[in-house]
Amino acid sequence: MKRGSTGSRPEDQFHQAMLALYDACAALGFRPVLFRRYVILNGGVAAAKELIFKPGTTGLERLVDLGRTELSMEATMLQPDFQALFSHDELKEARQRLANANRSRSRGRLTAQPTERQTKPD
């Protein structure tokens, strides 16, 4: 991909979409600098493929707090134009992360559901 070119390949378009996420987040007062640097150094597709399975990323949590999960890497991966760039497992993880993030927000940021206690007979 040429520098400064938006490119017509889906990989190039995804890379540009990932960089655009930073700009959209920055406009909301959230600047995921490490995310942007990772995308620039590795390329958008490679960055997403690695980051989707990394635990402890806080970007999605921040976007949940802002009510803007559509600006997440996960939501971008799931866009119809980009799904072919990712494996079934990568897309499944993206869907699951978004579902879990939205569920935790609706429950007031609880991270675990209480389970029914099973009492053991004495």
Side-chain angles (χ1 to χ4, degrees), residues 30-71:
F30 166 47
R31 290 177 174 72
V33 176
L34 295 177
F35 169 80
R36 183 176 184 270
R37 183 178 308 148
Y38 202 81
V39 170
I40 289 170
L41 292 175
N42 298 287
V45 174
K49 285 177 173 281
E50 185 163 335
L51 292 173
I52 194 63
F53 292 112
K54 281 198 180 235
T57 56
T58 59
L60 183 56
E61 287 179 11
R62 288 287 306 271
L63 291 170
V64 167
D65 290 343
L66 293 167
R68 299 297 304 267
T69 56
E70 76 277 6
L71 298 178

Side-chain angles (χ1 to χ4, degrees), residues 61-103:
E61 287 179 11
R62 288 287 306 271
L63 291 170
V64 167
D65 290 343
L66 293 167
R68 299 297 304 267
T69 56
E70 76 277 6
L71 298 178
S72 68
M73 174 190 77
E74 293 82 356
T76 304
M77 290 172 67
L78 294 170
Q79 290 179 12
D81 291 347
F82 301 135
Q83 287 186 19
L85 299 172
F86 302 101
S87 72
H88 171 76
D89 288 341
E90 290 161 344
L91 294 172
K92 181 179 176 183
E93 182 68 17
R95 279 187 202 93
Q96 190 171 358
R97 281 182 166 207
L98 281 172
N100 289 342
N102 287 324
R103 210 170 315 141

